[in-house]
Amino acid sequence: EYSESLGVEIIPTTDAKAAALKSQLIVGETTARTPIIDKSWLTPGCGLVTMHTAEVSDEVILAAENIAADYWTQMRTHANPLARLSQEGKLDESGIIDLCELVLGKKKLRTSDDQFVMSASLGLGALDIMIGYQMYLNATKMGIGTKVALWDNPLWE
C-alpha cells in the first residue's frame, strides 16, 4: 500500500533472507533474543540498521567496516553484543561512530560503495520524551485519552 507514496516497489515475502540478499538496506525491527541475521545475509555494499543488536550474529558485527551508534558512550555500558565484543577486545571501537558525528558531517560511515556498514541503536531517552510529548499534545488536541496521576507530590514542586 505504500509503494506509490514512497515511489518504490514493495514486494511482500515470507523469506527474510532471500529479501535481504536482493536488498541494499536491511532493517531489523525485532525483539529477537538470539541472532536471526547471519553473515550469509550480507552482500557487498549493503547496509544494516538494527534496533536490537541481539538479532545479529557476532560475525555480522565483526564484518562491518564501520558501525554507527546512536550514542556509543551510553551503548557501551549496557549488555549488548557490541559492548561485549568491545570488552572482549574483538571489536575495534575506532570503527564505531556516533550518529551525531555523521549528521554533523564530521565523519563518514562509508568510504567506498562495496563496504558493509551497519547502524546499531540502543535508544535515547530524549527521543522517547519528545515522541511521548507529541503524542500527549495530539491526544489533547483531539480530546482523547485519560489523565493519570503518577505521583502525589512531584519532586520538582
Side-chain angles (χ1 to χ4, degrees), residues 13-95:
T13 184
T14 58
D15 188 342
K17 180 179 178 180
L21 290 171
K22 294 180 182 179
S23 302
Q24 292 177 309
L25 179 64
I26 304 165
V27 179
E29 289 280 346
T30 75
T31 56
R33 300 283 184 227
T34 58
I36 58 170
I37 300 172
D38 64 43
K39 197 172 175 184
S40 70
W41 289 39
L42 308 178
T43 58
C46 77
L48 170 66
V49 177
T50 176
M51 299 299 172
H52 184 62
T53 53
E55 69 195 359
V56 300
S57 68
D58 288 359
E59 65 181 357
V60 168
I61 296 168
L62 296 173
E65 287 287 330
N66 289 310
I67 299 170
D70 47 16
Y71 185 48
W72 179 239
T73 302
Q74 172 191 328
M75 183 177 256
R76 70 193 301 182
T77 65
H78 290 268
N80 65 72
L82 286 174
R84 178 181 47 77
L85 289 169
S86 174
Q87 291 162 1
E88 292 172 355
K90 296 178 182 175
L91 181 63
D92 181 5
E93 289 188 20
S94 69

